Amino acid sequence: MPEVSKMKKPDVKLVLLGDMNVGKTSLLHRYTERKFKDTVSTVGGAFFLKQWGPYNISIWDTAGREQFHGLGSMYCRGAAAVILTYDVSNWQSLAELEERFLSLTDTANHDCIYALVGNKADLTDPRAQLCQDSDEASKDRMDCGEERTETQVLSACPTPPASPVSLSGITPGKQVTPEDAMALYGRILRYKGLEEKSSLPAEKMCFETSAKTGYNVDNLFEALFDLVLPSILRNTNENQHSPTVDLEECRGAKRGRPGCC
Amino acid sequence: MSVKAFELVPAVERDLLMGDKARINIECIECCGKHLYMGTNDCFIHHFLLDEVTSSKGKLTYSAQKLLHKYLGLKKPVAELRAASALERLIVLCDGIVFLVDMVTLETVPSAAGGGAKIRGVTAFCVNENPVNGDPFCVEMGVISSKKRTVQIYMVYEDRVQLVKEVTTPEQPCAVSVDGYFLCLALATQYMILNYNTGASQDLFPYNSEDRRPIVKRIGREEFLLAAPGGLGMFANAEGVSQRAPVNWSESVIGAAVSFPYVVALDESFITIHSMLDQQLKQTLSFRDGHILQDFEGKVILASTKAVYVLVPLPLERQIQDLLASHRVEEALILTEGAQQNIPKDKFQILHKRILQQAGFIQFGQLQFLEAKEHFRTGQLDVRELISLYPLLLPASSSFTRCHPPLHEFADLNHLAQGDQEKVLRCKKFLISYLGEVRSTEVANGCREDVDTALLKLYAEQNHDSLLDLLASDNACLLADSVPWLEKYHKYFALGLLYHYNSQDSAALQLWIRVVDGDLQDSTRSGLYEYIVDFLCSCSNPDLVWKHADWALAKDPTIGVHIFTKRPVSKDVTELNPEEAITYLGKHSQALLLFLEHLVLERKIKKEKFHTHLAVLYLERVLSLLSEAPADEEHLSRARERLQALLRESNLYRAQFLLGKMENCEQLLLERATLHGKLEENGKALHILVHKLKDFSSAEAFCVWASCCRDSAYQQQLFHLLLEVYLDRSLPAKSQAAAGGGELEMAAVDLLNRHGEVFDAVRVLRMLPEGWSLQLLRPFLGRAVRASMHAGRTAQIAVGLAQSENLQLLHDRLKDRKKPIFVSEKKGCHLCHNTFSEPDVVCLPGGAPVHTHCVAQRVRDSPTKRQLTNSSNHT
Ligand SMILES: Nc1nc2c(ncn2[C@@H]2O[C@H](COP(=O)(O)OP(=O)(O)OP(=O)(O)O)[C@@H](O)[C@H]2O)c(=O)[nH]1
Ligand SMILES: [Mg+2]
């Protein structure tokens, strides 16, 4: 049987975790293809190889469906960053992160970084309704109109209403506040046994995004790429004397020995 | 989205295997080269020879020939068969027992003396295809024994088996695969990787083996394919990491294999084929009663309970072409690039390039120009392939022929656009920008003519601004091809440029002249006439200049003459001989004048001929204006000014000659005076000015310019001459009277008062008539007196200064000489030669002391009784 060809080995791995329907696939689409398109619930998992400067970064999109839950640990093995995704309009999606997904990250690297990402911010935050990619702007606005009635209502008033409601940060429809996310971030650090002081601060690691409008999406990925750079450098160094090569060599050495028959 | 990646070809048909015995089922198969072995439920092993037959149409079929069958004598189905070809053994699992069978005779191998050739209590086994032991005559085997939770590693030799390792597992294993030291195990509730050498283990993911039959399939070095919950095919490597995204099978997959780049899976009724490159389902083949799917040395073999088939992959190129044929560019490229490692490098590169080019053309056909361009670029497309799509763009002389087989399905652009002119136009715009980009890159190497000529044609046709830029810069446009094209689109100016670029300036000029003359229409260049003049101006071929200058001068002499006057001075442009030019310009009087002015006034050429010629022309002009009636005063005065200026400023023309020409002309007195001045006939000149013209200021001015670069004596003489003319009484009284009795005197007075400093006052006073009042000449006299006083005082000062200087020098001299003069009884007087008896002595010049009386004597005697009186008497 011919050897199945090995693919270009990525230098580092990022994993998107989170409940089904929170928009993991959409986030990855938005970042890699710069558009928001129809998705089907992910089966198993998929990954994307991002060329970032001289480095290859693999970004794994996992399936949120319960059925595939068991595969999560494997996907997280060796990850340098895990993006824990929830839906800002759905409290349960945040709760699931803690209950179901956090334990999957046990297999990640010991210095793995964790980002908490509240997606679908366009549903709750008028700022996130402004399309970010100018070239896609018109198209997206059209999408906005077609797809969801609640967005239509919101996008009808492009500037945030200066009501006390929005000032207090609780806009109708919003179920998860950034404070909730930051609190969870603190608990994640505790779960990992990490000192809050020596870890990346919550403000830096909690994001709100919209795959639909592109709000904050590039920021999220690029911030993470910057943060995993040390891991990349370590990996590329290790690869120069990688364990696989060692195995080859030691096997070669064994071949030289007289057989034991 | 389907692709035809495989074909299912029957290998062993039912009849051949069991004839009409309906109860016989195939349980397991093994294939080793051409040898196909089959284990059946009635405990037989069948041995076939499988031959590949390729029909004349390239279709592959198999012909199977039964060699042997053998009953194993256990009355149980044969569960598994594995060939160890180096040992010429089949490893057989039947009734929970592993034993060895001779590959040729199918006889069971008896146990060797030293050890058994049988393993009992086996539920499943696998062969290590990446053995850790170096012995080629030894096969490594992983065995799941019915003994609880253990996996055993055996070495299999020709006639014996040897247990080398036994590892325990956390749960009962039900399937195993091995690569190197890594066991990949399906346990009751999960998959795991276990290193049997170190004992290290790695959990993969949970799985319920009771729900579904697990699949653990080694697909390559340290990589396994596993059946995961939800009907997934998951990849995992020995480190427990998934490096490829999973494929989505059905829930009931019973066998899977990899035939790169595809994952082939079998369920109850279908064979599904997914690409490992993009995880997509590519092909589905219906297959009833599927039972076994296994790959042997790259060959995927399937079996139903009754018959055997081979899944023959279609050649990769064919698959790629199929994808391209259905315009699935992305997939075709992924498939091509995914196959990189499986194809020799040079062959891959050729294939890859071609696919990229084809992809580019597909996208081009869909007007996705950006993508097309990128693929053309990476595929290093011979740009002529693209150009040749556009009718008539390639030069007739081009040696290009389209590549075969063709890269696309289009006959030409019209075929592609199906008559949609808008599409045609967009394609042309694209080609314009594409050629513009590549023409100066290596893409155009070897076909620059074709590229530039095509670009020229497009520019011309599309009325594109860059046409002129193309022609004005380095280009390789072919003349023969471009001429008719440019003519067709009336791009005559451009055509001229092309002629020029091809060193056919004459043709260029003729063409442009026809445009200017209105014979041809081309509005590209406004001011084409001026352009032609410029062109001739810097034209290095004098013949051309002579040939076309006439036309230019006739059109507009003032601009036309630029051909001669604005010729840049550089070594590239040959100097035109001015004399020749003058002769040439003979018939264009205005141009001639301008040219002479250029030579004389601008270039300041010091040649009598030019100066005289110019002066004559000026004069003729003046004369002709004078002869007009009524005279055009304005023109006349301007013409005279020019003439006068030239006469005054130049010293080179032949004054006598000119004078002769205007001798009789009483209107040009000023000019005549100037000429006389030039001839140093100052008297005549002043006479004309004073008596004929009565223009005293001109007379004065004459004196000034006529003497301006001469010494003051000359100047004085000239002014005195004027004064004399003013005071000349010898002239007939009528002229005096006409002058208003005293006009001349007034002029004289004014002259003296104004230019007093140049006159010799004494001479003037002698000349002046007695009766003139002092008052009248006050300014002159005042100045004269003051000047004379001034001169006297200045002289005195000079004398004083000279004296003091003299004194100073004397003083210095004395100082220099001041040495003591010694007088003693022993020294003698120079005059009487007696010694001194008194201190009083006199020194002679030179300092020699002498007796006072001797000197007195000497003075008395000498004829010059001077000096020595102020002699010093030092001691
Ligand atoms: N309004 C809004 N809708 C979004 C956004 N992102 C995703 N969606 C929608 O949410 C739904 C789920 O998106 P997916 O990206 O498929 O979700 P997922 O997390 O990948 O789901 P699984 O693959 O099942 O785990 C889709 O209908 C999207 O259109 C967003 O930013 N804003
Ligand atoms: Mg998804």
Side-chain angles (χ1 to χ4, degrees):
Chain A
M1 177 173 115
E3 284 294 314
V4 172
S5 44
K6 279 254 152 53
M7 4 183 69
K8 258 193 294 192
K9 199 173 159 95
D11 299 312
V12 79
K13 176 154 98 173
L14 268 64
V15 181
L16 280 156
L17 282 187
D19 202 359
M20 65 179 288
N21 212 39
V22 297
K24 300 178 293 296
T25 305
S26 302
L27 276 172
L28 197 55
H29 274 163
R30 164 59 75 179
Y31 181 64
T32 58
E33 295 173 42
R34 323 225 52 81
K35 53 189 169 206
F36 181 67
K37 53 184 199 185
D38 283 348
T39 57
V40 290
S41 183
T42 305
V43 177
F47 86 113
F48 178 81
L49 214 52
K50 166 81 185 173
Q51 187 82 31
W52 190 61
Y55 310 114
N56 288 314
I57 298 179
S58 67
I59 309 172
W60 280 82
D61 173 25
T62 61
R65 254 152 61 189
E66 183 78 51
Q67 187 182 17
F68 301 113
H69 190 249
L71 306 176
S73 296
M74 215 177 128
Y75 288 131
C76 285
R77 185 163 289 129
V82 172
I83 304 171
L84 294 159
T85 318
Y86 62 95
D87 171 351
V88 289
S89 65
N90 177 348
W91 175 265
Q92 188 54 34
S93 69
L94 185 78
E96 290 286 332
L97 286 180
E98 195 166 8
E99 286 161 23
R100 204 145 67 80
F101 292 96
L102 189 53
S103 62
L104 298 178
T105 65
D106 292 354
T107 51
N109 285 349
H110 61 92
D111 60 350
C112 177
I113 56 172
Y114 298 89
L116 267 173
V117 174
N119 189 40
K120 307 197 187 179
D122 58 290
L123 298 180
T124 58
D125 185 349
R127 270 179 310 166
Q129 284 165 21
L130 298 173
C131 298
Q132 302 231 314
D133 288 338
S134 55
D135 50 328
E136 284 289 324
S138 53
K139 201 159 165 277
D140 280 344
R141 225 168 278 129
M142 208 174 68
D143 292 347
C144 295
E146 280 172 1
E147 267 180 37
R148 239 170 240 264
T149 39
E150 70 262 56
T151 15
Q152 205 168 21
V153 177
L154 281 167
S155 46
C157 77
T159 42
S163 67
V165 182
S166 84
L167 283 176
S168 66
I170 307 154
T171 323
K174 178 151 187 145
Q175 298 207 11
V176 187
T177 66
E179 291 72 33
D180 298 330
M182 289 201 263
L184 173 57
Y185 184 76
R187 293 200 295 280
I188 292 172
L189 292 185
R190 236 164 293 141
Y191 171 84
K192 296 279 164 193
L194 294 167
E195 289 270 349
E196 214 160 306
K197 270 172 275 164
S198 54
S199 308
L200 292 161
E203 308 81 65
K204 212 174 157 189
M205 299 313 288
C206 294
F207 296 81
E208 288 202 345
T209 60
S210 166
K212 186 169 190 169
T213 65
Y215 174 74
N216 227 2
V217 174
D218 285 359
N219 271 354
L220 164 69
F221 283 102
E222 273 148 30
L224 288 181
F225 293 168
D226 280 331
L227 290 170
V228 298
L229 188 64
S231 297
I232 297 179
L233 294 176
R234 200 190 47 229
N235 283 358
T236 41
N237 278 344
E238 268 173 14
N239 277 356
Q240 279 156 15
H241 29 86
S242 88
T244 26
V245 178
D246 280 355
L247 271 179
E248 299 273 352
E249 276 166 3
C250 90
R251 191 170 306 141
K254 287 222 170 93
R255 288 246 162 87
R257 267 192 244 152
C260 52
C261 44
Chain B
M1 285 270 166
S2 72
V3 82
K4 199 169 174 199
F6 293 92
E7 233 168 11
L8 195 60
V9 180
V12 181
E13 319 247 7
R14 181 191 178 111
D15 292 353
L16 193 60
L17 181 62
M18 56 204 76
D20 49 4
K21 290 183 227 153
R23 285 179 5 265
I24 293 176
N25 286 342
I26 301 170
E27 288 295 323
C28 59
I29 52 179
E30 166 66 306
C31 183
C32 179
K34 287 181 172 181
H35 300 273
L36 179 69
Y37 298 90
M38 238 178 268
T40 50
N41 58 342
D42 56 353
C43 205
F44 270 89
I45 296 181
H46 300 254
H47 182 190
F48 293 89
L49 199 63
L50 204 56
D51 268 312
E52 260 180 36
V53 187
T54 313
S55 77
S56 55
K57 283 185 194 154
K59 197 163 169 60
L60 189 79
T61 51
Y62 284 95
S63 85
Q65 179 196 351
K66 182 146 180 180
L67 294 182
L68 201 62
H69 62 266
K70 186 96 188 164
Y71 179 57
L72 295 176
L74 291 168
K75 294 185 180 159
K76 288 283 164 70
V78 181
E80 270 180 74
L81 274 177
R82 278 288 166 274
S85 53
L87 314 179
E88 298 204 335
R89 293 290 178 264
L90 285 174
I91 306 167
V92 184
L93 171 61
C94 183
D95 198 18
I97 305 165
V98 168
F99 55 94
L100 304 177
V101 165
D102 187 291
M103 274 180 88
V104 182
T105 61
L106 302 182
E107 295 290 349
T108 304
V109 176
S111 294
K118 278 194 174 126
I119 312 166
R120 292 181 191 277
V122 175
T123 55
F125 75 94
C126 65
V127 167
N128 193 348
E129 289 178 73
N130 179 23
V132 292
N133 179 299
D135 183 353
F137 299 103
C138 162
V139 170
E140 293 170 26
M141 198 165 75
V143 170
I144 299 176
S145 100
S146 48
K147 199 174 135 195
K148 284 285 175 215
R149 293 190 229 155
T150 36
V151 177
Q152 296 163 329
I153 309 299
Y154 279 92
M155 297 292 181
V156 181
Y157 301 92
E158 197 182 14
D159 55 358
R160 67 196 165 92
V161 294
Q162 183 186 357
L163 179 67
V164 292
K165 192 93 184 178
E166 190 168 83
V167 282
T168 53
T169 53
E171 295 170 17
Q172 178 58 30
C174 52
V176 62
S177 192
V178 60
D179 182 280
Y181 287 113
F182 295 103
L183 293 165
C184 186
L185 296 167
L187 304 181
T189 64
Q190 66 161 329
Y191 287 102
M192 75 181 296
I193 299 276
L194 183 63
N195 183 323
Y196 72 78
N197 194 35
T198 63
S201 70
Q202 182 74 268
D203 291 349
L204 295 177
F205 52 86
Y207 183 78
N208 191 343
S209 62
E210 273 165 25
D211 289 356
R212 297 261 163 251
R213 197 167 112 190
I215 294 176
V216 195
K217 170 82 197 155
R218 175 189 181 268
I219 61 163
R221 181 153 289 182
E222 291 179 9
E223 194 172 8
F224 302 93
L225 175 62
L226 313 168
L232 288 184
M234 279 288 279
F235 297 92
N237 68 9
E239 289 161 43
V241 177
S242 199
Q243 286 179 313
R244 303 171 204 268
V247 291
N248 190 10
W249 290 331
S250 71
E251 293 274 355
S252 53
V253 166
I254 45 184
V258 163
S259 172
F260 194 80
Y262 299 104
V263 179
V264 183
L266 176 70
D267 63 23
E268 291 126 353
S269 38
F270 292 103
I271 304 162
T272 56
I273 292 152
H274 287 81
S275 167
M276 288 165 83
L277 303 169
D278 59 7
Q279 286 74 50
Q280 302 299 313
L281 176 63
K282 298 292 180 184
Q283 191 183 359
T284 308
L285 295 156
S286 120
F287 191 70
R288 292 245 144 247
D289 297 324
H291 186 43
I292 298 166
L293 168 69
Q294 266 179 311
D295 59 321
F296 304 95
E297 296 154 337
K299 189 185 282 176
V300 180
I301 298 184
L302 292 113
S304 64
T305 47
K306 311 289 181 194
V308 177
Y309 300 84
V310 180
L311 197 60
V312 180
L314 288 159
L316 197 66
E317 264 183 78
R318 165 91 182 278
Q319 296 178 39
I320 295 168
Q321 291 305 341
D322 285 351
L323 284 172
L324 287 174
S326 46
H327 291 184
R328 286 153 66 184
V329 172
E330 277 312 310
E331 285 174 82
L333 284 171
I334 290 176
L335 186 56
T336 313
E337 279 151 27
Q340 179 160 10
Q341 280 100 331
N342 299 34
I343 302 179
K345 196 168 172 212
D346 42 351
K347 207 178 152 215
F348 172 78
Q349 273 175 352
I350 294 168
L351 175 72
H352 191 212
K353 270 192 211 166
R354 192 184 150 85
I355 303 303
L356 282 167
Q357 295 173 2
Q358 284 183 279
F361 274 108
I362 289 169
Q363 287 158 333
F364 175 78
Q366 297 164 344
L367 310 189
Q368 296 171 350
F369 297 125
L370 228 64
E371 294 84 353
K373 185 160 87 181
E374 184 54 23
H375 286 141
F376 288 154
R377 194 184 60 74
T378 46
Q380 295 169 18
L381 176 75
D382 179 341
V383 57
R384 293 174 296 183
E385 285 284 352
L386 185 60
I387 298 174
S388 73
L389 261 183
Y390 297 67
L392 303 175
L393 282 197
L394 277 179
S397 60
S398 174
S399 59
F400 174 76
T401 47
R402 282 192 195 172
C403 119
H404 189 84
L407 292 171
H408 51 77
E409 60 202 7
F410 313 115
D412 62 15
L413 197 58
N414 298 325
H415 172 214
L416 184 155
Q418 303 284 327
D420 181 343
Q421 285 313 302
E422 150 82 19
K423 258 190 189 175
V424 171
L425 194 65
R426 288 183 59 193
C427 290
K428 285 183 173 169
K429 294 236 159 86
F430 165 71
L431 188 60
I432 286 181
S433 79
Y434 185 66
L435 293 181
E437 276 170 44
V438 303
R439 66 180 286 261
S440 46
T441 67
E442 73 271 19
V443 174
N445 280 355
C447 58
R448 285 205 54 187
E449 279 106 349
D450 294 355
V451 171
D452 282 2
T453 309
L455 194 55
L456 173 135
K457 290 175 179 176
L458 282 169
Y459 280 157
E461 184 194 295
Q462 298 296 315
N463 217 355
H464 200 284
D465 292 339
S466 302
L467 175 61
L468 301 184
D469 295 337
L470 173 70
L471 290 168
S473 57
D474 240 3
N475 69 74
C477 300
L478 287 175
L479 191 63
D481 237 71
S482 306
V483 171
W485 203 279
L486 290 172
E487 278 172 351
K488 178 175 167 198
Y489 293 100
H490 300 278
K491 300 291 177 196
Y492 300 111
F493 178 64
L495 180 52
L497 290 179
L498 183 62
Y499 277 133
H500 170 59
Y501 188 80
N502 285 278
S503 311
Q504 301 188 13
D505 286 354
S506 174
L509 280 165
Q510 277 165 17
L511 197 66
W512 288 335
I513 286 171
R514 287 176 66 198
V515 174
V516 173
D517 288 344
D519 300 345
L520 297 173
Q521 304 303 321
D522 175 16
S523 57
T524 316
R525 169 104 198 175
S526 59
L528 182 56
Y529 168 69
E530 285 80 358
Y531 182 87
I532 295 174
V533 169
D534 274 357
F535 185 86
L536 286 170
C537 203
S538 46
C539 175
S540 54
N541 177 356
D543 294 341
L544 268 187
V545 177
W546 297 131
K547 186 167 166 202
H548 297 286
D550 250 347
W551 173 84
L553 289 163
K555 198 100 192 151
D556 182 343
T558 49
I559 294 175
V561 76
H562 290 169
I563 297 170
F564 302 97
T565 59
K566 297 232 165 123
R567 277 184 90 74
V569 209
S570 77
K571 48 188 178 309
D572 305 335
V573 184
T574 42
E575 184 86 57
L576 287 181
N577 181 350
E579 317 243 352
E580 246 180 286
I582 287 169
T583 328
Y584 180 85
L585 288 170
K587 38 192 185 304
H588 306 278
S589 55
Q590 198 183 348
L592 177 61
L593 182 79
L594 290 166
F595 183 57
L596 281 168
E597 280 181 338
H598 166 74
L599 293 178
V600 171
L601 304 178
E602 273 169 47
R603 288 177 56 194
K604 312 237 183 285
I605 291 184
K606 304 238 176 301
K607 244 188 169 174
E608 177 272 325
K609 226 173 159 179
F610 302 155
H611 286 240
T612 308
H613 198 159
L614 181 58
V616 168
L617 289 183
Y618 277 160
L619 177 61
E620 279 170 359
R621 168 90 177 135
V622 169
L623 290 174
S624 90
L625 281 169
L626 279 173
S627 66
E628 274 174 28
D632 180 343
E633 287 300 337
E634 203 190 313
H635 277 126
L636 180 62
S637 74
R638 225 176 305 136
R640 284 190 64 186
E641 262 162 39
R642 275 201 234 165
L643 174 60
Q644 287 161 10
L646 179 66
L647 294 179
R648 248 192 334 266
E649 261 128 62
S650 162
N651 294 317
L652 293 169
Y653 56 86
R654 280 154 58 202
Q656 198 68 58
F657 173 73
L658 280 166
L659 200 53
K661 289 210 163 225
M662 54 175 102
E663 200 84 77
N664 307 317
C665 185
E666 286 303 312
Q667 279 133 309
L668 299 180
L669 292 169
L670 193 59
E671 288 79 355
R672 277 164 58 189
T674 310
L675 287 170
H676 283 301
K678 283 283 164 182
L679 293 165
E680 303 228 5
E681 296 166 354
N682 293 330
K684 279 190 191 167
L686 289 173
H687 181 82
I688 291 173
L689 291 171
V690 174
H691 292 298
K692 293 205 176 151
L693 270 175
K694 308 236 179 306
D695 183 348
F696 308 132
S697 65
S698 292
E700 249 177 73
F702 173 83
C703 291
V704 173
W705 75 254
S707 65
C708 69
C709 36
R710 313 288 285 259
D711 58 16
S712 56
Y714 185 88
Q715 194 184 21
Q716 196 178 57
Q717 196 193 335
L718 203 53
F719 273 89
H720 274 277
L721 187 63
L722 180 55
L723 186 62
E724 274 163 32
V725 173
Y726 282 153
L727 300 179
D728 190 358
R729 268 147 228 283
S730 63
L731 277 176
K734 76 165 194 272
S735 128
Q736 288 273 338
E743 207 185 0
L744 287 175
E745 273 95 340
M746 282 320 297
V749 170
D750 283 348
L751 180 68
L752 288 170
N753 288 345
R754 245 202 306 272
H755 294 281
E757 74 286 350
V758 294
F759 288 95
D760 177 349
V762 182
R763 245 176 90 191
V764 170
L765 286 177
R766 264 188 224 122
M767 280 167 67
L768 289 184
E770 293 295 318
W772 282 23
S773 87
L774 217 58
Q775 191 56 40
L776 205 58
L777 289 170
R778 220 183 91 111
F780 168 68
L781 290 173
R783 201 186 298 165
V785 169
R786 214 177 298 126
S788 130
M789 287 273 284
H790 178 71
R793 285 184 185 148
T794 314
Q796 271 176 5
I797 290 171
V799 168
L801 284 173
Q803 279 177 349
S804 78
E805 192 188 12
N806 190 29
L807 211 58
Q808 186 68 43
L809 288 171
L810 214 58
H811 172 74
D812 290 351
R813 179 162 161 268
L814 272 176
K815 242 168 72 187
D816 203 35
R817 295 260 188 91
K818 203 173 80 185
K819 288 171 203 149
I821 297 161
F822 295 102
V823 182
S824 74
E825 286 97 41
K826 283 174 197 149
K827 263 201 171 162
C829 164
H830 273 243
L831 292 174
C832 66
H833 301 288
N834 296 319
T835 54
F836 297 101
S837 51
E838 292 171 313
D840 288 358
V841 292
V842 172
C843 280
L844 292 174
V850 292
H851 291 113
T852 318
H853 55 267
C854 290
V855 172
Q857 177 68 40
R858 166 99 174 245
V859 169
R860 249 174 277 132
D861 295 349
S862 87
T864 51
K865 303 176 196 169
R866 290 177 64 184
Q867 293 297 340
L868 290 177
T869 31
N870 45 351
S871 58
S872 54
N873 33 349
H874 299 278
T875 2

